[in-house]
Amino acid sequence: ASKSTLPYHVRADSHQHLVAQKLFRIAEQKKSNLIISADFSDTDSLLQCADELGPYIAVFKTHVDIVHDFGEKTVVGLKKLAAKHNFLIFEDRKFVDIGSTVQKQYHGGALRISEWADIVNVSPLGGWGVVEALEQVISNETSPYRDERAVLLLAEMTTAGSLATGKYTQKCIEIAKQRGGAVIGFVATEALGTAEPDLTTTAKEDFLIFTTGVNICQSGNILGQQYQTPEAAVRGGSDFIIAGRGIYTSENRVETAKQYQREGWNAYEARIAS
Ligand code: S5P
């Protein structure tokens, strides 16, 4: 699978999507391709993590449906910290339903995801309609967030026995290429063969690879989660590495985050030099 060996700033300059441009620039400025997966069940813990680790990350990934006291304070707090520390917010909602339902889950509802999440992900298990549905909401002329919202397709999963392989993964790539411009990349364990060797001639399809299942110390857990190291992930084509428990359950999460940041960044520098 080919992976991009181009520096983030080059990809920022040639990318057609504002969110991808922003993300590449943040990565370059902060020397970080790290995303923290902040799977906390209360607002205070979530915001404290964002404030402590904010300086070392490019993106803060949430599962707000596990936050028992989710509300105005959560939304305002997240937005404020994103501005303070210059990171994007990714709600790992994994939409998987018919388009009409997904529109209601994304926009409004209890979680108001379209209002605060720069990035969301979706599984096109039911086909392209669900991607179209999100794109409709995003590109709606009355939307105050037009161009500022992006979508990732869940192309692979890290868990043992995952069914998100082969044809399903290939279909994700096809859908990303065929649909309008909101899809900026994939959640995948490695490069999916979509990287363009030379963006100076064509920058249409520079899809970003976001990789979960990243952990320096562990290889997996009893519920089937499987891990790779930051270095292995980036070497394999990951553009942004996502780590949760490997960081937030460690004794000193700030030092651990810095370690993941360093390892991810060094691997990126090695890749673009190769
Ligand atoms: O295939 C996947 C896709 C995702 S988005 N495997 C995953 O583990 N995830 C998410 O990444 C998962 O929902 C969790 O929020 C995070 C992994 O957390 P960790 O604590 O195992 O690093």
Side-chain angles (χ1 to χ4, degrees), residues 37 39 61 63 92 94 121 154 156-159 187 212-214 225 227 242-246 248:
S37 177
D39 301 335
K61 184 176 87 62
H63 278 299
D92 185 5
K94 299 187 185 72
N121 54 357
L154 184 67
E156 290 182 322
M157 289 203 68
T158 54
T159 31
V187 175
T212 55
V214 172
Q225 176 70 304
Y227 289 120
I242 305 177
R245 287 164 290 182
Y248 67 73

Side-chain angles (χ1 to χ4, degrees), residues 78-96:
L78 280 174
K79 282 186 175 175
K80 229 162 119 180
L81 291 167
K84 174 178 172 190
H85 296 297
N86 192 26
F87 59 70
L88 299 185
I89 304 170
F90 167 16
E91 165 56 25
D92 185 5
R93 177 60 182 74
K94 299 187 185 72
F95 295 107
V96 51

Side-chain angles (χ1 to χ4, degrees), residues 1 90 92 94 121-124 152-173 185-193 209-213 225-226 228 233 236-238 242:
F90 167 16
D92 185 5
K94 299 187 185 72
N121 54 357
V122 51
S123 165
L152 301 174
L153 303 187
L154 184 67
E156 290 182 322
M157 289 203 68
T158 54
T159 31
S162 165
L163 306 179
T165 59
K167 260 194 193 160
Y168 167 88
T169 305
Q170 285 311 310
K171 198 71 192 169
C172 285
I173 298 170
F186 305 99
V187 175
T189 60
E190 59 182 353
L192 295 180
I209 303 289
F210 285 58
T211 304
T212 55
Q225 176 70 304
Q226 303 172 126
Q228 55 180 331
S238 172
I242 305 177

Side-chain angles (χ1 to χ4, degrees), residues 32-55:
S32 178
N33 49 24
L34 177 63
I35 300 177
I36 175 80
S37 177
D39 301 335
F40 295 101
S41 53
D42 66 278
T43 297
D44 286 345
S45 303
L46 188 74
L47 297 183
Q48 201 188 335
C49 178
D51 203 13
E52 265 179 44
L53 304 189

Side-chain angles (χ1 to χ4, degrees), residues 5-183:
T5 51
L6 292 166
Y8 292 141
H9 68 88
V10 173
R11 297 172 73 182
D13 289 345
S14 62
H15 211 285
Q16 81 281 23
H17 200 292
L18 190 68
V19 172
Q21 292 168 14
K22 272 196 211 167
L23 183 50
F24 283 133
R25 296 210 168 98
I26 289 172
E28 198 91 49
Q29 278 164 18
K30 296 170 85 171
K31 291 194 187 308
S32 178
N33 49 24
L34 177 63
I35 300 177
I36 175 80
S37 177
D39 301 335
F40 295 101
S41 53
D42 66 278
T43 297
D44 286 345
S45 303
L46 188 74
L47 297 183
Q48 201 188 335
C49 178
D51 203 13
E52 265 179 44
L53 304 189
Y56 316 106
I57 59 171
V59 178
F60 190 72
K61 184 176 87 62
T62 55
H63 278 299
V64 292
D65 56 353
I66 64 181
V67 178
H68 68 80
D69 59 348
F70 176 83
E72 189 64 16
K73 184 179 168 192
T74 327
V75 171
V76 171
L78 280 174
K79 282 186 175 175
K80 229 162 119 180
L81 291 167
K84 174 178 172 190
H85 296 297
N86 192 26
F87 59 70
L88 299 185
I89 304 170
F90 167 16
E91 165 56 25
D92 185 5
R93 177 60 182 74
K94 299 187 185 72
F95 295 107
V96 51
D97 212 311
I98 62 165
S100 159
T101 300
V102 163
Q103 286 184 335
K104 295 176 196 158
Q105 291 170 324
Y106 176 55
H107 189 63
L111 304 177
R112 301 147 53 191
I113 296 170
S114 67
E115 200 181 307
W116 51 267
D118 303 281
I119 301 169
V120 293
N121 54 357
V122 51
S123 165
L125 187 66
W128 52 264
V130 67
V131 180
E132 175 76 30
L134 290 173
E135 286 183 336
Q136 267 183 16
V137 177
I138 290 170
S139 62
N140 186 311
E141 285 186 14
T142 61
S143 163
Y145 316 113
R146 260 190 114 177
D147 308 324
E148 292 175 21
R149 298 290 176 258
V151 173
L152 301 174
L153 303 187
L154 184 67
E156 290 182 322
M157 289 203 68
T158 54
T159 31
S162 165
L163 306 179
T165 59
K167 260 194 193 160
Y168 167 88
T169 305
Q170 285 311 310
K171 198 71 192 169
C172 285
I173 298 170
E174 268 174 49
I175 290 173
K177 290 182 173 177
Q178 286 162 4
R179 290 293 113 196
V183 178

